[in-house]
Amino acid sequence: SSMELQLKARLFVLTLSLFIPGKTRQPSCENDWDFQFCGTWRHGGGSRSLHVNISTGCKDISISANQTTLSISGEIAAQCKRSSVILLTDSAGIHSTESRFCLYWEPFYDQMKFQFGGKNLTLCWPTRLQGSCCTDLSQGPNGPNGYYGIVNGMIKDDPITAETRETYSFSGSPTECTEKLCDQESRKFTSATMVSNGPQSAGNVEHPCARSSEVLMKKDFKGYNVTSPLKQESAAEPAITVQIPPVLKDVAKATNKVVCTFFQNNSLFQETVKSARVLDDVVEITVENEVISNLPEPIRIAFHHDVIPKNCSRKCVSWDTRKDSLQVNWTTDGCETHHLGSDHTECLCNHLTYFSVLVQLQPGPVCHLLALSVVTSLGCATSIISCVAVLIYICRKSRHSKDQSTSIHLGLVVSLLCLNLLFFFTGILANVGGESVCAWVAAALHYALLMSLTWMGIEVFHTFWLVYMVFSPSPPPCLWNAVGYGLPAVPVLVLVAVGDMYGVRDLPGCEDPSDPYQMCWMKDNPRAWLAHYFTTLSILVVVGLSGCVMLVLVFRQISNRDEWRQNRLAFFSMWGLSCLFGTTWLLAFVHFEPFSQFFAFLFCILNSFQGFFLMLRFCMLHRMRKQGGGSALGSSSSGSTRHHMLQAQEKS
């Protein structure tokens, strides 16, 4: 039958395949560039620690775990030697019994990273290219199964086993990095070229993937330029050029050799950078076994990179070795930034370590920062003098008047006086007082701003009460004072108790982002931004929108009066009411091109000169009251109760 014939044919083909050799899969001739092992550590909860014991050689590496300790040990590094105990904290909490971790090893750079609890710890820092490195890690004999250990071990995306093992072992193979690994890299970067050997060069490695250059500083050393082996794809210039000054020869005492190592696309250098990122190109400049700092003549490092938009600030940074050595910490100390174009940045640094350019992603720099600062300072100074004048006027008037509006106006003027006074000196205190002083100044400034917005809200509510609640007694002044002065203090005290909310804040400018304007304000971290949204911006929106509504209602009440048509000075009364009601602060939310700069200047002018505008309003109303025989807008033209209540508000 047909079924029997098909079965015989399949058996014939299967038998034939046993005797005729087929095409087998050839092993890959490429070496592994990296090694990634991930797993879940099943422990007993409580305190946990990482035991590290890494030494030089190329034998094996083992990852083991028990109830309290995760261990990484072996001979695998070219230069790295590390023996330490590190306390571990998991984001899941101390009571969790399982923790996810990953171990990364890159033999080409001789670097090792350990990821645990959302943090990346650098166990072996990248070094210059070695002749031999340990790669091609293969799984060796593993430890027995147990209750505590590593679950779901994986090499990259390939699972090993779902069982709980106490130990995973991997054996490495020594490989000539400058030959085999670089041969692989040369196929990716065929257009890269090395610089020619100069008279001071001790041997640039003539290969596309070689990233390390040694320079001998002889007796007649007059400086030397070291160039990165790789060039930017869109530019003819090399990615990095290092200009070594002659003074380095006099400072370096133990050796006459300086080494420049160039790194590209290195993820380890991105750690601890939240709203920013370093360039793909990083250079390490070292003198063997010496710490070089405070050079009388700086080292010049030129970075040629992709075009960076103006709204993204950039600054030269170096790795800060004074902090935790396990993590990457970038600092601008000791480096000066020169912007030579949107795709060219020059760094002048007085020490030796890792260098790169840090690009700030958000918030972006402020264009025309100097002009805005001058306008704001001038407006604050003018408002301070104006508020003092209004304060004297209100205090004198309050002796002869028992109008409740007087106490409300007094609260607003006092709050604006404090706000402008603190804002005028915040830049000076940020540069002189330090972090501790600036934190208290920032808290006081935040309180003054919230207090000003609160009193503006009270002005809105009181005007509404006069116009639409004419037969109900107005709340006593003590209640207004409790709300105006006490309510804004609540969120400020809570933020002070939480901590890490107030301090020095940098505002970079488009013209020179490396020289930002410093002020005392809320810090640039996620918690401070969240607090800013829920306190300042939320109150601003409520007060501003209610002020706009009340401004429209007041305009409808007085627009039909004869005094409004005859005396155009009444316009200033509406302008003064807009300042009282806080409507000008809504300009903070207007940011659309191409008028964003116009609205930025308008916002600074209207709100920094707010005290001056209020003084003009009081002067205008005082003049109109004298001319009109007691009415704020001239003589009374309406006999309605609401109209007279509005007049009482205008008189005050």
Side-chain angles (χ1 to χ4, degrees), residues 245-295:
V247 72
L248 187 59
K249 168 66 178 176
D250 302 328
V251 177
K253 300 178 180 179
T255 182
N256 62 348
K257 183 188 299 182
V258 58
V259 180
C260 298
T261 305
F262 303 94
F263 303 93
Q264 269 199 341
N265 301 320
N266 196 314
S267 60
L268 289 183
F269 290 109
Q270 301 292 343
E271 302 305 326
T272 72
V273 182
K274 303 300 181 184
S275 59
R277 63 177 297 272
V278 296
L279 295 180
D280 291 336
D281 298 292
V282 179
V283 59
E284 180 197 18
I285 308 174
T286 58
V287 172
E288 189 174 1
N289 297 326
E290 287 194 49
V291 177
I292 305 297
S293 60
N294 298 322
L295 289 172

Side-chain angles (χ1 to χ4, degrees), residues 129 178 182-183 186 192-198 201 203-213 229:
L129 184 67
T178 56
C182 287
D183 286 339
S186 64
T193 57
M194 286 292 294
V195 295
S196 59
N197 294 345
S201 176
N204 289 333
V205 184
E206 296 183 359
H207 204 282
C209 84
R211 312 266 177 97
S212 184
S213 298

Side-chain angles (χ1 to χ4, degrees), residues 102 131 206 242 274 303 405 419 504 516 568 634 641:
C102 287
E206 296 183 359
V242 179
K274 303 300 181 184
F303 290 91
S405 300
L419 177 62
V504 179
R568 291 305 175 184
T641 306

Side-chain angles (χ1 to χ4, degrees), residues 587-644:
L587 289 172
F589 299 98
V590 182
H591 295 286
F592 57 88
E593 298 294 342
F595 304 106
S596 59
Q597 295 303 315
F598 168 76
F599 285 108
F601 275 95
L602 188 62
F603 174 83
C604 290
I605 293 173
L606 294 182
N607 293 294
S608 63
F609 283 89
Q610 198 168 53
F612 176 71
F613 295 142
L614 287 178
M615 185 189 70
L616 288 182
R617 178 178 182 271
F618 277 100
C619 292
M620 182 270 298
L621 291 177
H622 180 71
R623 177 185 175 184
M624 293 177 64
R625 184 170 58 250
K626 287 184 176 181
Q627 293 178 353
S631 175
L633 292 175
S635 60
S636 177
S637 61
S638 173
S640 67
T641 306
R642 294 181 180 179
H643 197 125
H644 286 294

Side-chain angles (χ1 to χ4, degrees), residues 226 295 545 639:
V226 183
L295 289 172
L545 293 180

Side-chain angles (χ1 to χ4, degrees), residues 408 455-467 469 475 480 546 550 581:
I408 297 176
W455 278 109
M456 291 175 186
I458 293 175
E459 291 277 5
V460 174
F461 182 79
H462 185 255
T463 303
F464 171 79
W465 195 282
L466 291 178
V467 177
M469 305 290 291
W480 300 131
S546 60
M550 183 52 59
F581 297 161

